[in-house]
Amino acid sequence: MATKFFSFLGTGKYAECNYSLDDVKIDAICYVQEALIDIFLKKGIKIDGIYIFKTKEATTANWISNAKHPEKSGLSGVLKKYEGIVDTIEAVDIPSGEIEEELWDIFDKVLGKINYKDEIIFDITHSFRSLPVLALIILNYAKFVKKCEIKGMYYGAVEALGVPSNEIEDRLKLEDRNAPIFNLTPFINLLDWTVGIDRFIEDGDSRYISKLIERGKGELLKKGMKDDKNILEKVGKSIQNYTNNVAVCRGKLVSSDGIELKEKIDFAYNISEKSYIKPMTPLIENIKNHFDNFTDDEDKNMIQGVKWCRDHNMIQQGLTILEEGIITYFCNKFRVDKCNKEIRTAIGQAFYIKMKNAPKDEWKDEARLHEDIVNKILEREDSEKLAKLIYDIKNVRNDINHAGWRVGSIPYETFVKKLNTFIDDVEKIIE
């Protein structure tokens, strides 16, 4: 893993300016690349490699010599001062990018300088035409292909001086040429949030969003917003708890986790506009729409958990939580211990007894031991309908749990249709 500084070299005549980023200022610099590298070194950021991407025109104008000040060295001479400090200083020749094939060539050459898990700092100040967009695409592509980390993207805003670049030295004294360097990294993070939100909404996977929340938490702490940091931390933990427990069918926790997450979401609204975590807002709105349906009714919350499974293609989990949720519903209804294995088995046996019209001498020990509960179910007007529903759910659940290794196994599409039907039927019973 190495920290690398990337920059495109332009062809313009660059005036001497004073560049500043955060609280660090570098005076009397022609090339923003030098200013940025000096700033990072002053901040204690170690740079392992400097890579300057230059066209043939930029080589003549600003690499070999200085287009504005011919008596001064070009960027190649300026970078010599970092020899012994930076391991690699390399100029990479690229085409002008005037046709599509040249853009792909630039893509390949920039990507080729990124190794696995590198940390990249990118200066796009003098990027030509579409190169800033291309740089953004390359970096995001490299994040997934090479697992690199984008440490920052920066732009030296000379135009903020309010004077045409070719007139700066004529119209402004050096002490007045104070150009800010814009940190564009939050916009890189916006793309991260887009990916994270999409994963969460489409797949119910909270792992990526949890990493972003962790990053946002650190950013808030830097800004002195300790209380907001604590809120964000709790929201992230609640999201993770709920999705993790649904993924492994922790039926006892689906309801309580959903209620807890619902309570945390409202707090998150108060901080979603702060720092670069603003893109959390659509995520919060989306999950709020689902968790607004959670109440203090455990059985109805179970249905919400199953719907979450259905919406996120967790068919096996949905079937499991639904079947066990029906057992829990009757435990709650009869006010018996819903964690008692014998009672749960007896309730399940009651539906089997009804379905098969089994005589008492064929009842299992659990059904005999809790005969009063079994009879309550058998005496219901809808007991036959209930028995068939439970039998169907169990049959479909067994098919998926046994990986289809049975005669008459059903395809994926049928699982989805049946789960939807089961949800509707169970919801009517509970309501």
Side-chain angles (χ1 to χ4, degrees):
M1 183 180 71
T3 300
K4 296 178 178 178
F5 175 83
F6 286 7
S7 179
F8 290 111
L9 181 63
T11 59
K13 296 182 178 181
Y14 305 126
E16 277 192 336
C17 292
N18 310 309
Y19 288 99
S20 61
L21 175 65
D22 299 330
D23 297 326
V24 183
K25 184 180 178 185
I26 304 295
D27 293 323
I29 294 291
C30 278
Y31 296 109
V32 68
Q33 293 91 341
E34 180 184 7
L36 274 166
I37 294 167
D38 282 350
I39 288 171
F40 296 137
L41 293 176
K42 281 192 173 186
K43 285 172 167 282
I45 298 172
K46 184 180 183 299
I47 297 177
D48 299 295
I50 297 172
Y51 297 83
I52 307 298
F53 300 91
K54 59 184 182 63
T55 63
K56 183 170 64 175
E57 296 78 13
T59 300
T60 302
N62 282 306
W63 180 251
I64 298 172
S65 60
N66 186 310
K68 179 71 174 177
H69 300 281
E71 75 282 1
K72 293 185 177 181
S73 172
L75 185 58
S76 61
V78 170
L79 296 181
K80 287 184 181 297
K81 73 177 187 177
Y82 302 113
E83 292 178 355
I85 300 174
V86 176
D87 295 335
T88 303
I89 300 174
E90 182 178 341
V92 183
D93 290 323
I94 59 172
S96 299
E98 296 179 354
I99 59 175
E100 183 179 341
E101 288 79 4
E102 290 183 347
L103 291 175
W104 281 112
D105 189 15
I106 296 170
F107 182 96
D108 289 338
K109 287 187 174 180
V110 175
L111 187 65
K113 298 303 175 184
I114 301 175
N115 295 325
Y116 186 69
K117 287 194 173 181
D118 277 348
E119 296 178 341
I120 307 298
I121 299 169
F122 216 128
D123 161 47
I124 62 167
T125 304
H126 300 305
S127 301
F128 183 61
R129 293 177 183 163
S130 59
L131 290 185
V133 176
L134 185 60
L136 192 59
I137 293 169
I138 294 169
L139 290 179
N140 277 280
Y141 180 77
K143 279 198 306 185
F144 293 99
V145 173
K146 300 195 176 186
K147 306 299 180 186
C148 75
E149 181 179 351
I150 302 172
K151 296 293 287 184
M153 179 175 279
Y154 298 92
Y155 177 80
V158 175
E159 62 270 24
L161 298 176
V163 177
S165 58
N166 61 334
E167 299 178 17
I168 289 175
E169 291 192 3
D170 297 328
R171 294 173 55 178
L172 294 176
K173 295 179 181 179
L174 180 58
E175 58 265 29
D176 296 324
R177 300 178 211 154
N178 300 311
I181 295 175
F182 294 153
N183 183 358
L184 304 179
T185 314
F187 296 95
I188 299 287
N189 296 329
L190 176 59
L191 293 177
D192 287 343
W193 279 104
T194 302
V195 173
I197 290 169
D198 183 68
R199 284 189 186 180
F200 185 80
I201 291 174
E202 293 299 319
D203 303 325
D205 186 350
S206 66
R207 290 173 295 178
Y208 195 81
I209 211 75
S210 294
K211 291 179 181 178
L212 296 175
I213 288 174
E214 185 69 22
R215 184 193 299 170
K217 180 186 72 176
E219 190 69 16
L220 286 175
L221 193 58
K222 289 178 187 176
K223 294 177 181 291
M225 295 182 280
K226 186 176 181 181
D227 291 340
D228 290 337
K229 171 257 183 185
N230 291 335
I231 292 172
L232 186 61
E233 188 175 38
K234 290 177 181 177
V235 171
K237 189 66 175 176
S238 291
I239 290 174
Q240 201 168 27
N241 284 344
Y242 181 79
T243 55
N244 287 349
N245 285 325
V246 169
V248 292
C249 300
R250 302 298 88 186
K252 290 188 286 184
L253 299 173
V254 168
S255 179
S256 58
D257 284 351
I259 293 172
E260 181 182 337
L261 181 51
K262 177 183 177 180
E263 292 172 352
K264 297 291 188 298
I265 290 171
D266 288 336
F267 292 110
Y269 273 112
N270 298 325
I271 61 172
S272 62
E273 297 291 324
K274 299 177 182 178
S275 189
Y276 70 75
I277 61 169
K278 183 177 179 179
M280 274 189 67
T281 302
L283 165 65
I284 295 170
E285 290 175 344
N286 182 273
I287 60 178
K288 189 176 189 304
N289 291 337
H290 177 83
F291 290 96
D292 271 348
N293 295 322
F294 274 76
T295 66
D296 57 358
D297 188 321
E298 180 184 30
D299 301 313
K300 291 182 179 180
N301 291 345
M302 177 271 294
I303 292 292
Q304 295 305 316
V306 177
K307 287 179 178 179
W308 174 273
C309 293
R310 174 198 63 192
D311 295 342
H312 296 93
N313 204 32
M314 294 189 286
I315 308 303
Q316 185 171 20
Q317 292 92 328
L319 289 166
T320 299
I321 293 172
L322 188 61
E323 183 184 350
E324 297 299 329
I326 295 172
I327 304 296
T328 302
Y329 166 75
F330 281 102
C331 287
N332 289 332
K333 190 174 184 62
F334 300 144
R335 301 181 183 278
V336 295
D337 184 2
K338 54 195 171 188
C339 292
N340 186 300
K341 184 179 178 181
E342 285 186 352
I343 291 176
R344 296 185 70 87
T345 301
I347 293 173
Q349 276 292 306
F351 299 118
Y352 175 83
I353 291 167
K354 183 67 180 180
M355 192 70 183
K356 300 297 183 181
N357 198 24
K360 271 192 178 183
D361 58 357
E362 293 182 8
W363 290 15
K364 290 188 177 181
D365 291 343
E366 291 87 355
R368 294 173 185 275
L369 185 62
H370 300 283
E371 184 177 346
D372 57 330
I373 294 176
V374 172
N375 286 331
K376 285 180 181 179
I377 293 175
L378 296 177
E379 290 166 4
R380 287 174 61 105
E381 290 183 5
D382 62 351
S383 61
E384 189 170 341
K385 182 180 178 181
L386 268 175
K388 186 178 185 312
L389 174 61
I390 298 298
Y391 182 83
D392 287 346
I393 294 174
K394 183 183 289 292
N395 188 45
V396 173
R397 177 187 174 185
N398 285 341
D399 190 350
I400 203 170
N401 284 350
H402 292 291
W405 289 107
R406 47 192 268 174
V407 176
S409 61
I410 61 178
Y412 165 80
E413 292 79 10
T414 305
F415 281 115
V416 176
K417 290 178 182 178
K418 285 188 174 292
L419 179 58
N420 275 313
T421 301
F422 294 154
I423 290 172
D424 291 340
D425 291 342
V426 174
E427 197 164 21
K428 289 173 185 175
I429 293 170
I430 288 176
E431 291 182 350

